């Protein structure tokens, strides 16, 4: 072991050397970055440090000195790819630098620093902390950068755009250290709240935003045992993760009364080992990045013995200790290397040189001789050990020039999308096309671009519309007042009187879109989604927020009027208070009431008249659904879930259920068309007999003017309808239909029991009866899509059959939450246990499309990858050659059948706690032996399930989005078999020649490969087969280890030659 401490290696000041708080070595092992109290980030040549004793060495020693921060710099870290250098300081900023090619052309005027050799410049300056930044950490795939600080926050930044993705606030005190899992599954943070918190994450894509990552970066575990009595006097708590991913070394732990380093096991997060020997608190731990063998390799160069890891520890006792897993004690211990605490440790990539810094200004290197630590094992062994945790996949070599061209073309769209969004963030409207209103991918005109000159005449610029609220604020800011002594003064403007308070309350998305003309880009917490209940308001709603929760006194004596009774109650309470006693009041729904007050109980009359008539079929049915009560009036608007403006209707832009909205309405506003069923009261009879009650009146009206009316002899239970037809279900199980003009479409259809659910879509009508039968019929053709199907399978009738046969009788089963139709006439139902089903008419059975298993086990739950669907470059948009994902509106996917069922699963299984024990089981499996690939397998299976569900339902938009998500994942996982099968299934018979190879059994080889193709003919779920295949090839082309499989398809499609705009890709 050799200790090197050059004299020139310091952050020198006028009187003394400044403290050095951090150091880090570049991935290529040529640079050492240090951060000190002088506000400088200095970059040194490691070659100069290691050859400091050689007087003949004349190459530059200091490569650069960066002075971006205005205070003490606490941390400096190179990115794993060596492209960036990040630093954090007590000025609350995080700075990212990159190395520009060439030599710096200038230096700071008046600076005594040496002439820089390398041109490092500030790439991003990020604001996200409210106090000192203490430590930084890069993920091993460079996808994120995480900073921690004294404001108790953990801030996650994108590693590509350096946009803030999420702020984690689980810590209760200063956060002083962070380390990343080499498998890119977790990161750990250490805090003065005496905990280490483990966060699980999925690497975000380069074009990720804060909206996409709301369900990412989840707290996995919080470890407190070894830190309950740890001192709070340390400047740092820098942990480290072992290179094989199995252990975390946590600094500043205690074992009884002595300081220690806690070794935490992965998965179980327990502490089986403590490293004891330091006299003071340990502030920094650092695992060597290489695995070692205790014995030299054999004659064939193969390592011998079990791999061991090396860890270095240091802290306030100024002692450096080096340990390995084969010795119970440190095999290297050095003392008095510095006069003050050792602040940071950094290993070189070869694992045999250790750099250290101290608060006394020391920067030194400890060089170990060959074999002193052991014998380094191949880097591939570390990658193989990480594969069991789903990481460590090594990028393969490029097969040929065609493979390289395919990889560059597939990455181009992703880079363009990132640049476009960064341009928008920087105010460059031309950098990328923004998403239009309602998700239309229209290219917005750049208002800052000068208009083109036509025929030599410059067009008159359009007047710029000013915001009235902004003009009012400007006038208030410049309002002049006259003081008592006659002087003019500008009256100050209160902050609360400006329009800045408008953003303090959440806005409805529709209001924001109408005001701004585009989709709202507010953070998730600032936008109020009217389709879901908002929990941010206090009890009592908006009135409570504005007026307070003070309750009024209820009326005690109704005879004296409301106000008089309330005044008398208040006087009674005030009289009791004057005597010094505490008044007792009762909190009633009507208000506060003094104790002992006589209040008459009010019985509300129900709105319903009577229950429906019991059908005899219910008495023998094993399934019984609740029958709706008969209401006096049933109203059904033409479009209950959509508000269409009159301009849209007149222009013919809006269509619902595939029917022109103006077809049968004479260009009238369809919002004012209402279908009404008015039942008669039981006592309404004109003959004196109760059986001869008045008929039910059916009317269709527009703006209170009756268009047509009809009468039914029986009471109506349910109504439904659209622009094609109207339908009514009655209490005796009969079903009636009408055309929009009021003509009866068919004779009364008699069901076996009362209808409990009616739904329609286009010309399809669905009826669910009280005995659990589902009817789906084509009203226009007068035919049923399939025979009546029972809901017994989806109501867990199979699991309840044993209880019924044992004489238990009626058993509890999941409730039916909703039943819907899609545009293909497929019945879809959602259950109270979170499961969602669709009926397959080809197989004559129900298929489960959603369940709690995917909700707790899949990484893709409750996501639709809409970030990739909305990102497009301006060049692509202007050329009209955008990727097919650009044509998919995200709101169409969000409103689809599969997301609807998954939202029901989230609501019923997760939010209501029905999947609590399933969540515990899955969490235990993630760390259990033999289940290392559990999460990845379930996630891939969930994507396959989504693709199959969209294919079965014929969901055109959803199938395309899920197919690309599936292709991305199996490409990233390197699943060659599934990739080949996917490409063959999409290709179909597209590339079959007339002369096919024939196997020995007489079966054509091409025919065998096409046996699993999707769809018939040239289309798959409404999309051209070649378009889908081209996009999948472009997605998979960036994976080098799959290019041997993908390149033949790329050649056949002509994407390597740039035909038909095939090289254009977005996201």
């Amino acid at each position: 072991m050799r200790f090197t401490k050059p004299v020139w290696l310091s952050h020198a000041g006028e009187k003394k050397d400044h403290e050095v708080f951090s150091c880090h070595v570049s991935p290529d092992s040529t640079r050492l970055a240090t951060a000190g109290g002088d506000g400088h980030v200095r970059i040194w040549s490691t070659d100069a440090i290691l050859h400091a004793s050689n007087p003949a060495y004349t190459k530059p020693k200091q490569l650069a000195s960066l002075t971006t921060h205005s205070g003490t710099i606490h941390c400096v870290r190179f990115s794993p790819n060596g492209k960036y250098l990040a630093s954090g300081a007590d000025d609350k900023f995080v700075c990212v630098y990159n190395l520009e090619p060439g030599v710096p052309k200038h230096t700071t005027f008046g600076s005594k620093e040496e002439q820089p050799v390398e041109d490092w410049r500030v790439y991003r300056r990020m604001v996200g902390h409210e106090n000192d930044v203490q430590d930084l950490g890069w993920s091993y795939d460079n996808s994120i950068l995480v900073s921690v600080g004294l404001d108790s926050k953990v801030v996650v930044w994108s590693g590509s755009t350096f946009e803030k993705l999420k702020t984690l606030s689980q810590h209760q005190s200063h956060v002083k250290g962070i380390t990343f899992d080499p498998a890119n599954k977790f990161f750990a943070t250490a805090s003065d709240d005496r905990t280490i918190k483990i966060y699980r994450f999925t690497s975000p894509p380069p074009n990720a935003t804060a909206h996409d990552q709301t369900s990412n970066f989840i707290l996995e575990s919080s470890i407190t045992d070894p830190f309950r009595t740890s001192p709070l006097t340390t400047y740092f708590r820098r942990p480290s993760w072992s290179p094989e991913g199995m252990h975390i070394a946590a600094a500043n732990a205690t074992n009884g009364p002595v300081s220690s380093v806690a070794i935490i096991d992965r998965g179980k997060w327990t502490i089986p080992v403590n490293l004891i020997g330091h006299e003071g608190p340990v502030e920094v731990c650092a695992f060597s990045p290489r695995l070692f063998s205790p014995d030299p390799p054999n004659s064939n160069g193969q390592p011998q013995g079990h791999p061991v890891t090396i860890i270095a520890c240091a802290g306030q006792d100024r002692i450096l200790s080096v340990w390995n897993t084969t010795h119970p004690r440190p095999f290297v211990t050095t003392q008095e290397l510095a006069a003050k605490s050792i602040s940071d440790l950094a290993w070189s990539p070869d694992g045999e040189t250790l750099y250290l810094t101290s608060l006394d200004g020391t920067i030194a290197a400890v060089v170990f001789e060959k074999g002193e630590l052991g014998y380094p094992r191949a880097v591939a062994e570390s990658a193989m050990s990480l594969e069991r945790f789903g990481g460590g996949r090594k990028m393969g070599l490029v097969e040929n020039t065609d493979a390289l061209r395919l990889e560059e073309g597939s990455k181009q769209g992703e880079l363009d999308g990132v640049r476009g969004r960064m341009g928008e963030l920087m105010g460059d409207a031309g950098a990328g096309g923004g998403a239009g209103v309602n998700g239309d991918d229209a290219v917005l005109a750049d208002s800052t671009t000068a208009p083109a000159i036509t025929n030599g005449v410059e067009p008159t610029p359009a007047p710029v519309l000013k915001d009235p609220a902004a003009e009012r604020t400007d006038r208030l800011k410049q309002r002049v007042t006259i003081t008592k002594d006659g002087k003019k003064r500008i009256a100050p403007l209160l902050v609360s009187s400006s329009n800045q308070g408008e953003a303090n309350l959440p806005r409805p998305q529709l209001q924001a879109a109408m005001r701004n003309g585009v989709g709202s880009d507010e953070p998730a917490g600032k936008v109020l989604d009217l389709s879901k209940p908002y929990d941010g308001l206090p009890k009592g709603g908006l009135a409570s927020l504005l007026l307070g929760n003070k309750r009024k006194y209820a009326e005690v004596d109704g005879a004296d009027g409301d106000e008089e009774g309330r005044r008398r109650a208040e006087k009674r309470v005030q009289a009791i208070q004057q005597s010094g006693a505490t008044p007792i009041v009762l909190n009633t729904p009507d208000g506060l009431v003094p104790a002992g007050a006589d209040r008459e109980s009010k019985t509300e009359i129900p709105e319903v008249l009577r229950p429906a008539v019991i059908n005899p079929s219910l008495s023998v049915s094993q399934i019984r659904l609740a029958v709706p009560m008969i209401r006096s009036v049933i109203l059904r608007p033409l479009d209950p879930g959509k508000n269409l403006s009159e301009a849209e209707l007149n222009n013919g832009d809006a269509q619902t259920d595939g029917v022109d909205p103006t077809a049968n309405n004479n260009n009238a506003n369809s919002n004012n068309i209402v279908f009404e069923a008015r039942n008669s009261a039981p006592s309404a009879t004109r003959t004196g007999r109760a059986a001869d009650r008045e008929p039910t009146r059916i009317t269709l009206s527009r703006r209170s003017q009756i268009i047509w009316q009809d009468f039914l002899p029986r009471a109506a239970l349910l109504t439904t309808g659209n622009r094609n037809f109207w339908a009514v279900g009655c209490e005796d199980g009969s079903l009636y239909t009408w055309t929009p003009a009021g003509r009866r479409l068919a004779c009364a259809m008699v069901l076996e029991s009362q209808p409990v659910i009616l739904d329609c879509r286009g010309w399809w009508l669905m009826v669910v009866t009280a005995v659990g039968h589902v009817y789906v019929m084509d009203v226009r053709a007068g035919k049923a899509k399939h025979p009546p199907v029972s809901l017994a399978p989806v109501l867990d009738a199979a699991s309840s059959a044993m209880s019924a046969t044992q004489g238990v009788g009626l058993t509890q089963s999941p409730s039916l939450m909703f039943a819907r139709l899609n545009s293909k006439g497929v019945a879809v139902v959602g259950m109270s246990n979170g499961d969602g089903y669709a009926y397959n008419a080809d197989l004559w059975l129900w298929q489960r499309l959603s369940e709690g298993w995917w909700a707790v086990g899949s990484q893709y739950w409750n996501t639709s990858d809409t970030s990739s669907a909305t990102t497009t470059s301006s060049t692509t948009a202007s050329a009209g050659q955008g990727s097919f994902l650009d044509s998919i509106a995200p709101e169409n996917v969000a409103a689809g059948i599969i997301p609807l069922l998954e939202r029901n699963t989230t609501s019923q299984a997760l939010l209501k706690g029905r999947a609590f024990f399933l969540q515990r089981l899955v969490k235990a499996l993630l760390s259990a032996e033999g289940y290392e690939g559990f999460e990845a397998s379930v996630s891939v299976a969930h994507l396959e399930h989504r693709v199959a569900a969209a294919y079965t339902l014929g969901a055109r938009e959803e199938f395309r989005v899920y197919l690309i998500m599936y292709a991305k994942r199996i490409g990233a996982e390197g699943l060659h078999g599934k990739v080949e099968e996917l490409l063959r299934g999409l290709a179909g018979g597209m590339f079959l020649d007339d002369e096919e190879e024939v196997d020995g059994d007489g079966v054509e080889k091409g025919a065998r490969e096409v046996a699993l193709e999707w769809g018939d003919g040239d289309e798959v779920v409404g999309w051209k087969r070649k378009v889908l295949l081209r996009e999948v090839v472009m997605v998979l082309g960036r994976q080098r280890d799959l290019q041997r499989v993908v390149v033949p398809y790329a050649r056949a499609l002509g994407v390597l030659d740039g035909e038909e705009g095939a090289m254009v890709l977005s996201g």
Side-chain angles (χ1 to χ4, degrees):
M1 183 183 74
R2 179 167 55 90
F3 181 74
T4 302
K5 182 183 176 183
V7 178
W8 47 264
L9 188 60
S10 64
H11 287 243
E14 295 181 358
K15 297 182 179 180
K16 66 172 184 177
D17 291 344
H18 291 279
E19 301 91 343
V20 183
F21 293 95
S22 182
C23 64
H24 200 244
V25 185
S26 63
D28 59 1
S29 194
T30 59
R31 302 176 183 88
L32 173 69
T34 58
D38 57 350
H40 288 249
V41 173
R42 300 184 187 272
I43 302 175
W44 312 88
S45 170
T46 56
D47 193 44
I49 298 173
L50 299 179
H51 293 83
S53 59
N54 184 6
Y57 189 87
T58 58
K59 294 182 180 180
K61 302 178 179 63
Q62 180 172 300
L63 304 180
S65 177
L66 312 175
T67 59
T68 305
H69 290 284
S70 60
T72 300
I73 304 175
H74 293 150
C75 186
V76 62
R77 294 289 183 264
F78 282 101
S79 62
N81 59 7
K83 185 178 180 180
Y84 301 110
L85 173 66
S87 63
D90 61 3
D91 59 0
K92 309 173 188 177
F93 293 107
V94 176
C95 293
V96 178
Y97 315 88
N98 68 333
L99 178 60
E100 297 290 339
V103 180
K105 299 179 181 179
H106 61 83
T107 57
T108 305
F109 178 76
S111 174
K112 298 180 181 180
E113 294 292 333
E114 300 178 6
Q115 176 71 23
V117 179
E118 296 180 341
D119 190 10
W120 288 84
R121 298 190 179 182
V122 178
Y123 184 74
R124 289 288 184 271
R125 194 164 182 258
M126 302 175 292
V127 181
H129 286 275
E130 301 173 358
N131 209 329
D132 300 5
V133 179
Q134 287 293 102
D135 205 2
L136 299 169
W138 292 88
S139 63
Y140 279 76
D141 60 353
N142 306 281
S143 61
I144 59 172
L145 169 67
V146 177
S147 60
V148 299
L150 300 185
D151 56 356
S152 306
K153 293 181 180 179
V154 178
V155 182
V156 182
W157 312 88
S158 169
S160 301
T161 62
F162 297 102
E163 176 185 350
K164 186 197 295 185
L165 299 181
K166 197 168 186 179
T167 300
L168 308 173
S169 304
Q170 282 86 352
H171 281 293
Q172 305 300 319
S173 187
H174 309 323
V175 189
K176 296 182 176 180
I178 179 174
T179 183
F180 266 89
D181 171 23
N184 275 311
K185 299 298 180 183
F186 303 97
F187 63 84
T189 57
S191 169
D192 272 352
D193 60 3
R194 294 189 169 97
T195 65
I196 278 189
K197 296 190 183 297
I198 312 295
Y199 294 92
R200 174 183 292 272
F201 76 98
T202 302
S203 298
N207 54 359
T209 62
H211 300 282
D212 306 331
Q213 304 302 310
T214 54
S215 58
N216 203 354
F217 311 107
I218 305 301
L219 180 63
E220 176 77 7
S221 179
S222 183
I223 305 168
T224 59
D225 288 340
F227 313 103
R228 296 186 185 275
T229 59
S230 63
L232 305 179
T233 57
T234 57
Y235 210 87
F236 300 104
R237 291 173 178 256
R238 286 172 168 160
S240 181
W241 212 300
S242 61
E244 85 286 0
M246 282 298 299
H247 306 288
I248 304 173
N252 200 7
T254 56
N255 190 339
V258 298
S259 298
S260 69
V261 175
I263 305 298
I264 304 171
D265 273 352
R266 180 195 186 100
K268 298 180 181 178
W269 313 119
T270 57
I271 299 90
V273 177
N274 284 275
L275 306 182
I276 302 175
H278 282 268
E279 299 176 359
V282 177
E283 296 197 22
V284 56
C285 304
F287 273 102
S288 174
R290 298 288 293 273
L291 295 176
F292 290 83
S293 294
D295 302 321
N298 57 21
S299 58
N300 297 327
Q302 299 296 326
Q304 300 186 77
H306 294 287
V308 299
T309 55
I310 306 296
I311 180 175
C313 307
Q316 291 185 359
D317 57 358
R318 307 183 299 280
I319 296 177
L320 173 66
S321 62
V322 182
W323 310 65
N324 71 7
T325 53
T326 59
H327 293 80
R329 297 181 180 181
F331 65 91
V332 174
T333 302
T334 60
Q335 298 183 2
E336 305 300 333
L337 293 180
K340 293 184 179 180
S341 301
I342 297 177
S343 56
D344 204 359
L345 300 172
W347 287 92
S348 61
D350 62 3
E352 294 185 321
T353 303
L354 178 64
Y355 297 88
L356 60 91
T357 59
S358 173
L359 298 185
D360 65 348
T362 297
I363 305 174
V366 179
V367 183
F368 294 92
E369 302 297 333
K370 295 295 182 181
E372 192 171 0
L373 296 177
Y375 298 90
R377 301 173 75 99
V379 179
E381 291 196 28
S382 299
M384 291 177 59
S385 63
L386 294 175
E387 287 182 358
R388 60 181 300 194
F389 306 120
R393 292 187 65 247
K394 186 178 180 181
M395 181 178 293
L397 298 177
V398 179
E399 294 283 345
N400 47 41
T401 57
D402 289 343
L404 182 60
R405 292 173 57 198
L406 176 62
E407 179 181 350
E408 292 176 351
S410 64
K411 291 180 178 179
Q412 187 60 39
E414 186 173 345
L415 295 176
D416 290 342
V418 173
R419 292 173 188 147
R421 197 172 76 256
M422 286 305 301
E424 293 175 5
L425 294 175
M426 299 302 293
D428 183 8
V437 181
N438 294 332
D440 297 335
D441 296 326
V443 181
L444 302 180
D446 188 355
S447 59
T448 62
T449 305
I453 299 178
T454 306
N455 296 331
V457 180
E458 296 186 2
T460 304
V464 180
L465 299 179
K466 296 184 178 180
D467 188 4
E471 292 182 352
R472 176 177 175 273
T473 303
D474 292 340
R475 289 196 302 269
L476 290 175
K477 289 180 179 178
Q478 300 176 2
R479 186 173 57 185
V480 179
T481 58
I482 307 299
T483 60
K484 295 181 180 180
D485 53 0
K487 296 181 179 180
K488 294 183 179 181
R489 293 289 185 270
I490 296 179
L493 174 65
L494 295 177
V495 175
S496 59
S497 62
S498 66
N499 60 352
Q500 296 176 355
E502 181 181 356
N504 291 336
L505 289 177
R507 298 186 297 175
Q509 292 179 352
L510 180 60
Q511 177 185 353
M514 294 298 295
R515 179 175 302 174
N516 300 328
V518 295
S520 174
D521 58 352
E522 296 273 0
K526 288 288 187 70
V527 178
L528 177 60
D529 187 359
L530 294 180
S531 64
K532 301 176 182 178
Y534 179 64
D535 298 330
L537 298 178
K539 185 177 180 181
L542 187 60
S544 245
L545 179 65
L546 300 177
L547 305 177
N549 276 324
K550 183 177 179 180
R551 301 206 63 191
K552 296 182 178 180
Y553 285 90
E555 158 189 9
V556 177
D557 240 342
D560 297 334
D562 295 348
E563 293 299 328
E564 184 64 26
R566 191 174 294 111
R567 284 198 209 97
R568 187 158 48 251
E570 292 178 359
K571 290 181 180 179
R572 286 181 56 186
V573 173
Q574 291 175 0
I576 297 175
Q577 289 176 339
Q578 290 178 359
S579 63
T582 301
I584 300 177
V585 294
L586 302 178
N587 190 7
T588 66
D590 298 327
L592 298 178
V593 177
D598 295 332
R599 293 181 51 81
E600 298 180 359
S601 60
K602 298 180 180 179
T603 304
E604 296 184 359
I605 300 175
E607 297 180 359
V608 298
L609 300 178
R610 68 186 188 282
V613 179
I614 300 299
N615 193 292
S617 62
L618 289 177
S619 60
V620 296
S621 174
Q622 296 295 324
I623 298 176
R624 304 181 184 180
L625 302 181
V627 179
M629 307 292 282
I630 296 180
R631 293 162 289 178
S632 57
V633 178
I634 307 173
L635 299 177
R636 167 79 183 195
L638 179 59
D639 286 323
K642 182 179 292 187
N643 292 324
L644 300 177
S645 65
E646 188 171 1
E648 289 176 333
L649 290 170
N650 293 334
N651 293 334
D653 294 334
Q655 288 195 5
T656 303
D657 300 326
V659 182
D660 186 357
T662 62
N664 298 317
N665 296 319
N666 299 325
N667 295 335
N669 191 341
S670 62
N671 292 331
N672 298 316
I673 297 179
V674 178
F675 184 77
E676 177 184 341
R678 184 176 295 273
N679 295 314
S680 61
S683 58
T685 175
R686 298 181 183 274
T687 62
R689 291 198 319 159
D692 298 333
R693 61 178 182 269
E694 295 182 358
T696 298
R697 183 189 299 269
I698 306 297
T699 59
L700 183 70
S701 59
R702 180 191 298 120
R703 297 178 181 175
S704 301
Q705 295 184 359
I706 297 177
I707 301 176
W708 60 264
Q709 68 176 357
D710 200 349
F711 296 92
L712 297 178
R714 296 164 182 86
L717 288 179
L718 301 170
T719 64
T720 188
N722 53 29
R723 292 178 173 84
N724 299 329
F725 65 91
W726 298 99
V728 172
C730 296
E731 63 175 342
D732 64 343
S734 56
L735 187 67
Y736 299 85
T737 55
W738 291 268
T739 65
R743 178 178 63 88
R744 295 207 181 193
L745 275 170
C747 300
M749 293 170 278
V750 181
L751 308 174
E752 77 281 356
S753 61
Q754 294 91 342
V756 298
I757 295 178
L758 277 183
D759 191 30
C760 63
R761 182 76 179 269
W763 286 99
W764 296 103
L765 174 64
M766 180 185 67
V767 186
V768 181
T769 64
V771 295
H773 282 181
V774 179
Y775 295 81
V776 178
M777 57 194 76
D778 186 348
V779 176
R780 178 168 55 181
K783 297 180 180 179
K785 183 177 177 64
H786 50 73
V789 55
S790 175
L791 287 174
V794 302
L795 293 172
D796 284 349
S799 60
S800 304
M802 183 175 295
S803 300
T805 56
Q806 293 176 353
V808 178
L810 295 178
T811 58
Q812 186 177 5
S813 63
S815 302
L816 181 64
M817 302 302 297
F818 62 85
R820 296 286 186 271
L821 275 173
N822 75 343
S823 58
K824 303 294 184 180
V826 178
V828 181
V829 298
M831 314 304 295
S832 61
N833 60 359
D835 293 351
Y837 299 87
Y839 185 75
N840 192 326
D842 296 330
L843 299 177
W844 285 19
L845 49 77
W846 292 95
Q847 289 185 307
R848 186 183 293 112
L849 304 187
S850 178
E851 58 181 317
W853 172 257
W854 306 121
V856 299
S858 172
Q859 298 172 340
Y860 293 91
W861 184 256
N862 204 21
T863 63
S864 58
D865 202 14
T866 54
S867 61
S868 62
T870 56
T871 305
T872 178
S873 63
S874 59
T875 304
T876 300
S878 61
Q881 298 176 345
S883 169
F884 68 81
L885 282 176
D886 302 336
S887 63
I888 298 177
E891 67 274 7
N892 292 340
V893 177
I897 293 296
I898 299 175
L900 171 67
L901 295 176
E902 292 190 351
R903 287 196 297 272
N904 176 66
T905 303
T906 301
S907 174
Q908 301 298 329
L910 298 184
L911 300 183
K912 295 186 179 180
R914 293 188 174 95
F916 173 73
F917 292 101
L918 184 59
Q919 285 178 306
R920 293 183 58 183
L921 171 63
V922 171
K923 188 174 182 180
L925 290 178
L926 292 178
S927 58
E929 184 177 357
Y931 292 88
E932 289 79 9
F934 173 78
E935 188 175 24
S937 300
V938 173
S939 300
V940 172
H942 181 214
L943 291 179
E944 294 170 348
H945 186 85
R946 279 180 165 179
V947 173
Y951 183 81
T952 301
L953 293 174
R956 187 171 182 266
E957 312 289 353
E958 294 163 302
F959 177 78
R960 212 161 184 181
V961 172
Y962 297 151
L963 179 66
I964 298 306
M965 294 173 65
Y966 176 61
K968 288 181 181 179
R969 183 56 185 260
I970 62 176
E973 295 287 343
L975 305 177
H976 289 76
K978 292 188 177 182
V979 169
E980 292 182 15
E981 189 177 68
L982 175 64
L983 294 175
R984 288 201 306 267
L986 289 177
M990 208 186 323
F991 304 127
L992 289 180
D993 298 329
D994 296 334
E995 299 179 358
E996 282 285 356
E997 300 180 9
V998 179
D999 294 341
D1001 57 358
V1003 180
E1004 292 184 356
K1005 181 180 179 181
R1008 186 191 301 277
E1009 292 180 350
V1010 185
L1012 296 175
E1013 70 173 283
W1014 277 334
D1016 298 326
D1018 193 32
E1019 291 188 351
V1020 180
V1021 198
W1023 300 105
K1024 292 293 184 182
R1025 187 183 297 274
K1026 184 177 292 187
V1027 176
L1028 288 177
L1029 181 61
R1030 179 183 296 114
E1031 191 68 22
V1032 171
V1033 167
M1034 298 301 295
V1035 169
L1036 296 174
R1038 70 193 65 180
Q1039 306 294 337
R1040 290 187 177 179
D1041 50 353
L1042 298 174
Q1043 288 173 351
R1044 183 174 297 177
V1045 180
V1046 179
V1047 167
Y1049 290 92
R1051 290 198 190 103
L1053 292 171
V1055 298
L1056 298 176
D1057 302 327
E1059 296 178 4
E1060 302 179 10
M1063 297 298 287
V1064 179
L1065 178 67
S1066 176

